[in-house]
Amino acid sequence: MTAAAVPAPPAPLTHAQRDAPRDESAYGRLRSMIASGELAAGSWLREANLAERIGVSRTPIREALSRLAAEGLVELSRNKGAQVVDFSPEDVAGLYDVRAGFEPHAVLLSVPNLTDEDVVELAALSARMEAVVANGGDMEGLSALNAAFHGIFIERCGNRHVATALQAVMRPAVVAHTFRKYSGEALRRSMQHHAELVAAAEARDGEWAEAVMRTHILAARNAAGANPSTR
Amino acid sequence: MTAAAVPAPPAPLTHAQRDAPRDESAYGRLRSMIASGELAAGSWLREANLAERIGVSRTPIREALSRLAAEGLVELSRNKGAQVVDFSPEDVAGLYDVRAGFEPHAVLLSVPNLTDEDVVELAALSARMEAVVANGGDMEGLSALNAAFHGIFIERCGNRHVATALQAVMRPAVVAHTFRKYSGEALRRSMQHHAELVAAAEARDGEWAEAVMRTHILAARNAAGANPSTR
DNA sequence: TCACAGAAAGTTGTATGCAACCCATTGACG
DNA sequence: CGTCAATGGGTTGCATACAACTTTCTGTGA
């Protein structure tokens, strides 16, 4: 990818950041229900049922479903309804393959653009994630922090459309699911990658950060049970 | 990017293909109105107004707008409405940069997977595009054919999420706008690229195709008035 | 027993009405 | 004259009602 000398855009917040912790909208509620597995993959989503569970009418449910469909989290069948997309191991592998091919380069571009405040925030997010892991749980919260961490690099790469493209393959549901499948060791290693990314960012060493990010994503692909040898 | 050995998925048709020529739904109508410039970039979209122009009630309009917002074609402001996103030259450059970094690799992966029928279809699409250019016009139709042409490569690359990610940066409105800005010479050169891609596909030479595609996209970036020297 | 037609139930797609909210104008007051 | 509050028009957000479609069940006939 050629470096686009786009002057830092007006901070297009990612979905994961904008409505990460508590989004009371029907869209946010549904998304978190999918991410948590409360709505199982492959299951049919009945609008009336969801409306009652969330406590709104069908109208906002329908808008949320169409938005989720555009993001690829659910699949709509005309006059038949929506179902949560079921990610096969091959699908998950494909998602991480795209990220592995894309995100490290975005990191390479972004490191020179990072402000001191960015680095401080990266360090803080890394520390918070380690704390969550130490307290042993809340994989959904961890997933949100992780999205914010990665989002900083992506937003600073100088091309806001990189975020657009990557968002399509950073499905919260899949990431949360991956975290849940992590072994204790894999989880600790993942946190170490974050710490090393912070170190590379502090050193403003883009190539180092690029390499760490590639490692990080390929390790995640493996932890998701989708390493090349098994498929 | 590592090649994902995903066994050709059940043909997830792209939006551009599924509803390219005539989509009578409110979503399709709105999308084509934006692509054609009938709804100017930056202008506010009033739901009641659109509903009347298209001849439906506000409900399907609202769903279409939220879907278009998820795709990044319009921007929603809560309680204020939607406006067509305005792509600055830097934005357009960023879009083509992402494509330049991504799509050639997808082509490299896809060429070995192309069936004879795929190659025939590619040749047919290329011929149809040349015919449209020879008849001198219908940039919207050309844009649809172009999307189908590129879509074949993307769908055959063995990773359906590549399509998901690329779709986010292949905005029909931008592509159509780029075509409109093409000079006659740039347009003919673009068609030549297509023909050369067909030749590379017939020869099953992935690296050749990859190189042509990279050329093709960078030429498009330049034609869009966004070559690096000018920004 | 099986196949098929018909009806009935359930679900989605659309239209409409009303409340909440934003914005601009206007008027009064300092 | 400038500032600020009230008010009105206009738009969006949500709830509800109804129409259209899909699926399933049931009953009849071979």
Short mmCIF file of all heavy atoms in Angstrom, two decimals, chain A residues 115-145:
data_model
loop_
_atom_site.label_atom_id
_atom_site.label_comp_id
_atom_site.label_asym_id
_atom_site.label_seq_id
_atom_site.Cartn_x
_atom_site.Cartn_y
_atom_site.Cartn_z
N THR A 115 1.26 10.50 18.48
CA THR A 115 1.62 11.56 19.41
C THR A 115 2.03 10.93 20.74
O THR A 115 1.79 9.75 20.98
CB THR A 115 0.43 12.50 19.65
OG1 THR A 115 -0.60 11.76 20.32
CG2 THR A 115 -0.11 13.04 18.34
N ASP A 116 2.62 11.74 21.61
CA ASP A 116 2.97 11.25 22.94
C ASP A 116 1.72 10.79 23.67
O ASP A 116 1.72 9.78 24.39
CB ASP A 116 3.70 12.33 23.73
CG ASP A 116 5.08 12.63 23.14
OD1 ASP A 116 5.57 11.80 22.35
OD2 ASP A 116 5.63 13.70 23.45
N GLU A 117 0.64 11.53 23.47
CA GLU A 117 -0.61 11.15 24.14
C GLU A 117 -1.10 9.79 23.65
O GLU A 117 -1.60 8.98 24.42
CB GLU A 117 -1.70 12.20 23.89
CG GLU A 117 -1.45 13.56 24.53
CD GLU A 117 -0.40 14.36 23.78
OE1 GLU A 117 -0.36 14.27 22.53
OE2 GLU A 117 0.42 15.04 24.43
N ASP A 118 -0.94 9.56 22.36
CA ASP A 118 -1.33 8.26 21.82
C ASP A 118 -0.58 7.14 22.52
O ASP A 118 -1.16 6.12 22.91
CB ASP A 118 -1.05 8.20 20.31
CG ASP A 118 -1.99 9.08 19.51
OD1 ASP A 118 -3.13 9.26 19.96
OD2 ASP A 118 -1.58 9.56 18.45
N VAL A 119 0.72 7.33 22.65
CA VAL A 119 1.54 6.29 23.27
C VAL A 119 1.11 6.06 24.71
O VAL A 119 1.01 4.91 25.18
CB VAL A 119 3.03 6.66 23.19
CG1 VAL A 119 3.88 5.63 23.93
CG2 VAL A 119 3.47 6.77 21.75
N VAL A 120 0.84 7.16 25.41
CA VAL A 120 0.37 7.03 26.79
C VAL A 120 -0.93 6.23 26.84
O VAL A 120 -1.10 5.33 27.67
CB VAL A 120 0.17 8.42 27.43
CG1 VAL A 120 -0.58 8.31 28.74
CG2 VAL A 120 1.51 9.11 27.62
N GLU A 121 -1.82 6.53 25.90
CA GLU A 121 -3.10 5.82 25.90
C GLU A 121 -2.91 4.35 25.57
O GLU A 121 -3.57 3.47 26.16
CB GLU A 121 -4.05 6.48 24.89
CG GLU A 121 -5.50 6.03 25.07
CD GLU A 121 -6.45 6.78 24.14
OE1 GLU A 121 -6.02 7.80 23.56
OE2 GLU A 121 -7.59 6.33 23.99
N LEU A 122 -2.01 4.08 24.63
CA LEU A 122 -1.73 2.68 24.30
C LEU A 122 -1.23 1.93 25.54
O LEU A 122 -1.69 0.82 25.84
CB LEU A 122 -0.68 2.61 23.19
CG LEU A 122 -1.15 2.95 21.78
CD1 LEU A 122 0.05 3.09 20.84
CD2 LEU A 122 -2.10 1.87 21.26
N ALA A 123 -0.31 2.57 26.26
CA ALA A 123 0.22 1.93 27.46
C ALA A 123 -0.88 1.70 28.48
O ALA A 123 -0.96 0.64 29.12
CB ALA A 123 1.33 2.81 28.06
N ALA A 124 -1.76 2.70 28.63
CA ALA A 124 -2.84 2.57 29.60
C ALA A 124 -3.77 1.42 29.22
O ALA A 124 -4.16 0.60 30.06
CB ALA A 124 -3.62 3.88 29.68
N LEU A 125 -4.11 1.35 27.93
CA LEU A 125 -5.00 0.28 27.49
C LEU A 125 -4.34 -1.08 27.71
O LEU A 125 -4.99 -2.04 28.15
CB LEU A 125 -5.35 0.47 26.02
CG LEU A 125 -6.36 1.59 25.74
CD1 LEU A 125 -6.39 1.93 24.25
CD2 LEU A 125 -7.75 1.17 26.22
N SER A 126 -3.06 -1.16 27.40
CA SER A 126 -2.35 -2.42 27.61
C SER A 126 -2.39 -2.83 29.07
O SER A 126 -2.65 -3.99 29.40
CB SER A 126 -0.90 -2.27 27.12
OG SER A 126 -0.16 -3.42 27.42
N ALA A 127 -2.15 -1.84 29.95
CA ALA A 127 -2.17 -2.14 31.38
C ALA A 127 -3.55 -2.59 31.83
O ALA A 127 -3.69 -3.56 32.61
CB ALA A 127 -1.74 -0.90 32.16
N ARG A 128 -4.59 -1.90 31.34
CA ARG A 128 -5.94 -2.28 31.74
C ARG A 128 -6.27 -3.69 31.28
O ARG A 128 -6.94 -4.46 31.98
CB ARG A 128 -6.95 -1.28 31.16
CG ARG A 128 -6.94 0.06 31.88
CD ARG A 128 -7.94 1.03 31.26
NE ARG A 128 -9.32 0.56 31.35
CZ ARG A 128 -10.34 1.16 30.76
NH1 ARG A 128 -10.13 2.23 30.02
NH2 ARG A 128 -11.57 0.69 30.88
N MET A 129 -5.79 -4.03 30.08
CA MET A 129 -6.06 -5.39 29.60
C MET A 129 -5.36 -6.43 30.47
O MET A 129 -5.94 -7.46 30.81
CB MET A 129 -5.62 -5.52 28.13
CG MET A 129 -6.61 -4.91 27.17
SD MET A 129 -6.26 -5.29 25.44
CE MET A 129 -5.11 -3.98 25.04
N GLU A 130 -4.14 -6.13 30.85
CA GLU A 130 -3.42 -7.07 31.72
C GLU A 130 -4.16 -7.21 33.05
O GLU A 130 -4.22 -8.31 33.62
CB GLU A 130 -1.99 -6.58 31.94
CG GLU A 130 -1.14 -6.69 30.68
CD GLU A 130 0.35 -6.80 30.99
OE1 GLU A 130 0.71 -7.60 31.87
OE2 GLU A 130 1.14 -6.09 30.36
N ALA A 131 -4.70 -6.10 33.53
CA ALA A 131 -5.44 -6.16 34.79
C ALA A 131 -6.67 -7.05 34.65
O ALA A 131 -6.97 -7.86 35.54
CB ALA A 131 -5.84 -4.75 35.23
N VAL A 132 -7.36 -6.90 33.54
CA VAL A 132 -8.55 -7.72 33.33
C VAL A 132 -8.17 -9.19 33.31
O VAL A 132 -8.83 -10.04 33.93
CB VAL A 132 -9.26 -7.32 32.01
CG1 VAL A 132 -10.34 -8.33 31.66
CG2 VAL A 132 -9.85 -5.93 32.13
N VAL A 133 -7.08 -9.49 32.62
CA VAL A 133 -6.64 -10.88 32.55
C VAL A 133 -6.25 -11.39 33.93
O VAL A 133 -6.58 -12.51 34.31
CB VAL A 133 -5.46 -11.02 31.56
CG1 VAL A 133 -4.84 -12.41 31.67
CG2 VAL A 133 -5.93 -10.75 30.15
N ALA A 134 -5.56 -10.53 34.69
CA ALA A 134 -5.14 -10.93 36.04
C ALA A 134 -6.35 -11.23 36.91
O ALA A 134 -6.34 -12.17 37.71
CB ALA A 134 -4.28 -9.84 36.66
N ASN A 135 -7.39 -10.42 36.75
CA ASN A 135 -8.62 -10.67 37.51
C ASN A 135 -9.42 -11.81 36.91
O ASN A 135 -10.51 -12.14 37.38
CB ASN A 135 -9.47 -9.41 37.55
CG ASN A 135 -8.80 -8.30 38.34
OD1 ASN A 135 -7.84 -8.56 39.07
ND2 ASN A 135 -9.28 -7.09 38.20
N GLY A 136 -8.90 -12.33 35.85
CA GLY A 136 -9.44 -13.56 35.29
C GLY A 136 -10.84 -13.49 34.73
O GLY A 136 -11.71 -14.26 35.13
N GLY A 137 -11.07 -12.59 33.77
CA GLY A 137 -12.38 -12.71 33.16
C GLY A 137 -12.85 -11.52 32.35
O GLY A 137 -12.05 -10.77 31.86
N ASP A 138 -14.15 -11.39 32.21
CA ASP A 138 -14.81 -10.36 31.43
C ASP A 138 -14.23 -10.26 30.03
O ASP A 138 -13.62 -9.27 29.65
CB ASP A 138 -14.73 -9.01 32.12
CG ASP A 138 -15.61 -7.97 31.41
OD1 ASP A 138 -16.42 -8.38 30.56
OD2 ASP A 138 -15.47 -6.78 31.71
N MET A 139 -14.43 -11.33 29.28
CA MET A 139 -13.86 -11.38 27.94
C MET A 139 -14.46 -10.32 27.03
O MET A 139 -13.82 -9.87 26.10
CB MET A 139 -14.06 -12.77 27.33
CG MET A 139 -13.19 -13.83 27.97
SD MET A 139 -11.43 -13.36 27.96
CE MET A 139 -10.71 -14.61 28.99
N GLU A 140 -15.70 -9.93 27.32
CA GLU A 140 -16.31 -8.93 26.46
C GLU A 140 -15.65 -7.57 26.69
O GLU A 140 -15.35 -6.83 25.74
CB GLU A 140 -17.81 -8.84 26.75
CG GLU A 140 -18.60 -8.30 25.58
CD GLU A 140 -20.09 -8.35 25.83
OE1 GLU A 140 -20.53 -9.20 26.65
OE2 GLU A 140 -20.80 -7.54 25.26
N GLY A 141 -15.41 -7.24 27.96
CA GLY A 141 -14.70 -6.00 28.25
C GLY A 141 -13.31 -6.02 27.64
O GLY A 141 -12.84 -5.02 27.09
N LEU A 142 -12.65 -7.16 27.74
CA LEU A 142 -11.32 -7.30 27.17
C LEU A 142 -11.37 -7.06 25.66
O LEU A 142 -10.50 -6.38 25.10
CB LEU A 142 -10.78 -8.70 27.47
CG LEU A 142 -9.32 -8.96 27.12
CD1 LEU A 142 -8.41 -8.05 27.91
CD2 LEU A 142 -8.96 -10.41 27.38
N SER A 143 -12.39 -7.59 25.05
CA SER A 143 -12.54 -7.41 23.60
C SER A 143 -12.69 -5.94 23.24
O SER A 143 -12.12 -5.47 22.26
CB SER A 143 -13.75 -8.21 23.13
OG SER A 143 -14.04 -7.92 21.79
N ALA A 144 -13.44 -5.20 24.06
CA ALA A 144 -13.61 -3.77 23.79
C ALA A 144 -12.29 -3.03 23.94
O ALA A 144 -11.94 -2.18 23.10
CB ALA A 144 -14.66 -3.19 24.73
N LEU A 145 -11.55 -3.33 25.01
CA LEU A 145 -10.25 -2.69 25.21
C LEU A 145 -9.32 -3.01 24.05
O LEU A 145 -8.60 -2.15 23.54
CB LEU A 145 -9.64 -3.15 26.53
CG LEU A 145 -10.33 -2.67 27.81
CD1 LEU A 145 -9.77 -3.38 29.02
CD2 LEU A 145 -10.16 -1.16 27.96
#
